[in-house]
């Protein structure tokens, strides 16, 4: 049976603090050698994920902006993704990819945020509101990394402002009433269309992998609230530890907890999948 790995990036495959892929890199290569696909499934943008795909020599499909779109390299499957899915989904060709679009446009998302902020009288700021310099100060990303993070098509990340009190909860309710959702990815919250989450995107890809390989066994890895939809739809979902060595609280007992912070936990799961 074909095993397919769906993985979050920040705080899971990548180090929570410095976004390093060094710890996971050898295991990513070993999975590649065994022809086990490693599908990135992250709030990160296409531009950001392409950087990590290139650095890790990963040529598998990937899921961007928290499930908003699925990018499949042209010719990756033996069939046309458009033929397979265009009755159900919006499938477009972009560069060397077939793209299944599940989310809203970034313009719709930003309009919802603007209205929600005004109605809730809350001061919150995303990439579109901040200068590159401010983005770098908040995210500690270098300029080209910050630029890639700000190149968004389907979602916005709330980088600055209070996200703990009653006013924020009211803002979240307002977004919800506008057809948007607002989910925590660990450090920041992402706002996007309600029609998309990581779980739905993983379902779409699992359908395609199943079409190609027959039966597949899906593995999911994550660390935060926005990973729960992903961990719930895979056959076996794993939570890695947060930097304080605790796990995200969940009442889903099927989700396994790995002892290991971020990439340390990731490597343990990867190694359990690699045949000796
Ligand atoms: Mg994460």
């Amino acid at each position: 049976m074909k095993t397919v790995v769906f993985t979050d990036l920040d705080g899971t495959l990548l180090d929570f603090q410095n976004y390093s892929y060094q710890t996971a890199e050898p295991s990513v290569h070993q999975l590649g050698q065994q022809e086990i696909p490693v599908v990135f499934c992250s709030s990160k943008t296409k531009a950001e994920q392409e950087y990590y795909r290139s650095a890790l020599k990963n040529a598998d499909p990937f899921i961007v902006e928290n499930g908003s779109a699925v990018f499949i390299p042209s010719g990756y499957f033996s069939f046309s993704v458009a033929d397979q899915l265009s009755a159900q989904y919006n499938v477009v060709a972009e560069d060397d990819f077939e793209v299944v679009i599940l989310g809203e446009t970034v313009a719709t998302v930003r309009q919802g945020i603007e209205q929600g902020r005004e109605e809730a009288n809350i001061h919150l700021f995303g990439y579109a509101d901040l200068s590159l310099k401010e983005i770098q100060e908040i995210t500690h990303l270098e300029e080209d990394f910050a630029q890639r993070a700000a190149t968004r098509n389907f979602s916005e990340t709330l980088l600055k402002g209070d996200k703990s009190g009653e006013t924020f909860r009211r803002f979240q309710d307002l977004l919800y009433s506008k057809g948007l959702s607002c989910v925590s990815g660990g450090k920041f919250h992402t706002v996007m269309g309600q029609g998309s989450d990581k779980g739905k995107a993983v379902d779409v890809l699992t359908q395609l992998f199943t079409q190609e390989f027959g039966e597949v066994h899906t593995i999911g890895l994550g660390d935060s609230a926005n990973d729960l939809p992903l961990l719930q739809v895979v056959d076996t979902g794993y939570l890695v530890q947060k930097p304080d060595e605790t796990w995200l609280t969940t009442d889903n007992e099927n989700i396994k907890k790995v002892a290991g912070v971020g990439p340390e936990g990731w490597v343990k799961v990867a190694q359990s999948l690699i045949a000796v």
Side-chain angles (χ1 to χ4, degrees):
M1 205 194 302
K2 186 80 167 176
T3 299
V4 182
V5 175
F6 293 95
T7 180
D8 172 49
L9 292 176
D10 291 355
T12 302
L13 189 151
L14 304 178
D15 183 89
F16 186 88
Q17 309 296 350
N18 62 16
Y19 309 102
S20 166
Y21 52 79
Q22 221 172 6
T23 303
E25 188 172 20
S27 296
V28 172
H29 291 162
Q30 281 175 289
L31 291 171
Q33 280 159 5
Q34 305 225 349
E35 296 182 5
I36 296 175
V38 178
V39 175
F40 297 168
C41 182
S42 160
S43 302
K44 286 194 177 304
T45 64
K46 180 192 179 211
E48 290 177 288
Q49 295 200 35
E50 285 196 301
Y51 169 83
Y52 289 105
R53 289 175 82 249
S54 161
L56 289 165
K57 298 182 177 63
N58 177 295
D60 295 312
F62 56 106
I63 295 164
V64 307
E65 298 192 45
N66 219 32
S68 296
V70 182
F71 282 78
I72 300 137
S74 299
Y76 184 84
F77 293 113
S78 60
F79 49 84
S80 152
V81 173
D83 285 355
Q84 194 70 21
L85 293 181
S86 55
Q88 291 165 272
Y89 302 105
N90 180 17
V91 183
V92 300
E94 185 186 313
D95 305 326
D96 293 329
F97 298 100
E98 286 189 279
V99 189
V100 186
I101 296 173
L102 304 169
E104 293 288 345
T105 65
V106 71
T108 304
V109 171
R110 283 186 182 143
Q111 193 183 29
I113 291 173
E114 273 168 38
Q115 289 170 351
R117 296 198 278 225
E118 208 166 291
E119 289 163 32
N121 193 22
I122 191 169
H123 301 288
L124 287 167
F125 304 95
Y127 284 104
D129 306 306
L130 303 169
S131 70
L132 205 54
K133 193 162 170 283
E134 276 180 290
I135 293 170
Q136 285 184 254
E137 278 166 13
I138 295 167
T139 59
H140 307 291
L141 292 172
E142 286 179 31
E143 189 176 338
D144 47 349
F145 283 79
Q147 189 70 59
R148 286 193 282 265
T151 311
R152 315 193 70 83
N153 291 314
F154 311 101
S155 66
E156 176 60 295
T157 301
L158 302 172
L159 298 173
K160 187 177 166 187
D162 180 25
K163 282 165 273 177
S164 57
E166 192 53 47
T167 317
F168 181 68
R169 278 192 287 281
R170 173 157 159 66
F171 171 75
Q172 280 183 301
D173 289 344
L174 285 164
L175 289 179
Y176 197 80
S177 72
K178 298 172 200 302
L180 302 174
S181 64
C182 177
V183 200
S184 171
K187 277 186 197 146
F188 307 118
H189 280 64
T190 301
V191 182
M192 68 209 157
Q194 257 162 36
S196 57
D197 62 43
K198 290 186 177 188
K200 287 177 186 153
V202 168
D203 262 342
V204 167
L205 262 178
T206 300
Q207 196 181 323
L208 298 173
F209 276 110
T210 306
Q211 172 79 15
E212 182 78 29
F213 296 108
E215 215 178 338
V216 296
H217 181 72
T218 54
I219 303 291
L221 292 125
D223 70 319
S224 296
N226 67 348
D227 298 315
L228 288 177
L230 149 67
L231 300 178
Q232 275 153 8
V233 298
V234 291
D235 294 318
T236 315
Y238 295 92
L239 270 174
V240 298
Q241 286 176 321
K242 296 187 278 185
D244 63 2
E245 297 186 6
T246 64
W247 292 274
L248 177 76
T249 310
T250 163
D251 49 16
N252 185 330
E253 287 170 6
N254 294 325
I255 297 173
K256 296 182 192 301
K257 292 174 175 167
V258 196
V261 173
E264 304 280 351
W266 197 95
V267 166
K268 282 188 184 171
V269 175
Q271 288 302 316
S272 75
L273 302 174
I274 292 163
V276 279

